[in-house]
Amino acid sequence: MSKQYTISDLAEMYDTTTRTIRYYEELGLLQPKRIGGRRIYSDRDRVRLKLILRGRRLGFRLDEIREMLEWYDLDPTEVYQLREVIRKGDEKLAQIDEQIRDLQAVREELLELRDHMQRLLDEKTREGEKS
Amino acid sequence: MSKQYTISDLAEMYDTTTRTIRYYEELGLLQPKRIGGRRIYSDRDRVRLKLILRGRRLGFRLDEIREMLEWYDLDPTEVYQLREVIRKGDEKLAQIDEQIRDLQAVREELLELRDHMQRLLDEKTREGEKS
DNA sequence: GGGAAAATTGACGTTTCCGTAAACGTTAAA
DNA sequence: TTTAACGTTTACGGAAACGTCAATTTTCCC
């Protein structure tokens, strides 16, 4: 019994706006059903929206995200397409791995900086105790 | 003997453009010395540029990056500033940890998709062999 | 010292990702 | 039934992060 959602259900659920969701549809990232004029979102649509928003948070552009979403519903009998997706997917994986490494580097540096600040702060507060 | 760089040295070194570097200066992220009219970049400037570009790749906005850069040269005698930086740094760390988790999730999903595609492809090619 | 190469400033253009508002139709609740 | 809330399309706007082009310096090299 796949659930149904209105556009504002989803907007609230994922803390975004209806304008944004309609914009994603304009770009072809979502294709909700219509009842009358109104958009009806399935669970599949909901999951796609979730993926889109996560992708955005991670700095991917919307056309990159659209391409990756398309990988999930390509024709599984087209050998050429399969090969292409595997190749592009490997590229994306390499890119993601680098991004993770970069983030871990930033993390380390921030931790060091934090420790440094903490030591300075400790000195200062001990100094204050002496008076 | 701290090295000196021209703007195009740095542009080439980090695969960006002089326009971009000047733009970062406009926003206050870099403050190179001048000799006559021209900009001269020190090693410190170079490292800052490297950090900026890495931050950009990771999806941080330039004003976020500027704030984080400022942490490296604040007044170490100002207890309030120290506390503030530690607090903000902790926030940033939490945010980075979440980003890493998200990226690892995307990574897993891409790997699964890749395996799925690979299996489909294997079936297809075995099918071809039979003929 | 003269000309090519490199750098500078200023202005405007572009792309991405939405926000906002107008003007209108639809649905639900009192 | 009416009225408030919700949804739709269309259009324009706007910030962020640069690209591009033109008009001037500035510098380097022979």
Side-chain angles (χ1 to χ4, degrees):
Chain A
M1 57 162 67
S2 61
K3 283 180 186 159
Q4 310 271 84
Y5 309 89
T6 70
I7 192 168
S8 44
D9 284 346
L10 290 189
E12 191 181 358
M13 187 174 303
Y14 293 113
D15 192 30
T16 181
T17 68
T18 59
R19 176 67 181 88
T20 296
I21 296 174
R22 276 192 295 264
Y23 181 62
Y24 293 163
E25 178 178 348
E26 235 178 89
L27 297 188
L29 281 83
L30 295 172
Q31 293 111 37
K33 298 262 152 62
R34 301 281 184 134
I35 291 187
R38 345 203 93 178
R39 294 163 170 85
I40 299 294
Y41 298 84
S42 67
D43 257 312
R44 182 168 173 286
D45 293 323
R46 185 183 56 73
V47 170
R48 285 175 74 99
L49 176 60
K50 197 170 70 177
L51 294 178
I52 295 168
L53 293 171
R54 189 181 61 187
R56 286 279 320 131
R57 283 201 311 274
L58 293 174
F60 294 105
R61 277 167 309 170
L62 291 176
D63 57 349
E64 288 183 271
I65 294 173
R66 184 182 47 204
E67 202 189 350
M68 292 169 66
L69 284 177
E70 280 165 2
W71 296 348
Y72 284 93
D73 36 32
L74 53 74
D75 180 357
T77 70
E78 290 284 344
V79 172
Y80 171 72
Q81 287 192 15
L82 289 175
R83 288 196 207 282
E84 268 300 285
V85 165
I86 290 176
R87 198 182 54 70
K88 289 185 184 173
D90 284 347
E91 275 178 25
K92 203 56 91 178
L93 273 171
Q95 178 189 334
I96 286 174
D97 285 345
E98 193 195 330
Q99 213 166 330
I100 291 178
R101 278 197 304 277
D102 274 351
L103 274 173
Q104 279 163 348
V106 171
R107 201 191 122 91
E108 291 305 312
E109 286 163 27
L110 275 182
L111 276 176
E112 261 184 56
L113 181 63
R114 201 212 118 96
D115 284 0
H116 181 60
M117 298 289 159
Q118 189 64 57
R119 273 195 303 277
L120 285 176
L121 189 57
D122 288 350
E123 283 173 29
K124 276 286 150 194
T125 50
R126 255 198 305 281
E127 204 174 281
E129 279 168 13
K130 280 197 305 189
S131 76
Chain B
M1 57 161 68
S2 61
K3 283 180 187 159
Q4 310 271 84
Y5 310 87
T6 71
I7 192 169
S8 43
D9 284 345
L10 290 188
E12 191 181 357
M13 187 174 302
Y14 293 113
D15 193 31
T16 180
T17 69
T18 60
R19 176 68 181 88
T20 297
I21 296 174
R22 276 192 294 267
Y23 180 62
Y24 292 163
E25 180 178 347
E26 235 177 89
L27 297 188
L29 283 83
L30 294 172
Q31 295 112 35
K33 298 262 151 63
R34 298 283 182 133
I35 293 188
R38 353 202 82 177
R39 294 162 168 86
I40 299 295
Y41 297 84
S42 67
D43 256 312
R44 182 168 173 286
D45 293 322
R46 183 182 56 74
V47 169
R48 285 175 73 99
L49 176 59
K50 196 169 72 176
L51 294 178
I52 295 166
L53 293 172
R54 189 181 60 188
R56 281 289 311 138
R57 283 201 310 273
L58 293 175
F60 294 104
R61 279 165 310 170
L62 291 176
D63 57 349
E64 288 182 272
I65 295 173
R66 184 183 47 204
E67 202 189 351
M68 293 169 66
L69 284 177
E70 280 164 2
W71 295 348
Y72 284 94
D73 36 33
L74 53 74
D75 181 357
T77 71
E78 291 283 348
V79 172
Y80 172 71
Q81 286 192 16
L82 288 175
R83 289 196 207 281
E84 267 300 284
V85 166
I86 289 176
R87 197 182 54 71
K88 289 185 186 175
D90 284 346
E91 274 178 26
K92 201 58 88 175
L93 273 170
Q95 178 188 335
I96 286 174
D97 285 346
E98 193 194 330
Q99 211 167 332
I100 290 177
R101 278 197 304 276
D102 274 351
L103 275 172
Q104 279 164 348
V106 171
R107 200 192 122 93
E108 289 305 312
E109 285 163 27
L110 276 182
L111 276 177
E112 259 184 58
L113 181 63
R114 200 212 119 97
D115 283 0
H116 181 62
M117 296 292 158
Q118 189 66 58
R119 273 195 301 277
L120 285 177
L121 189 57
D122 288 349
E123 284 173 27
K124 274 288 149 193
T125 50
R126 255 197 305 282
E127 202 174 283
E129 276 167 16
K130 280 197 307 189
S131 75

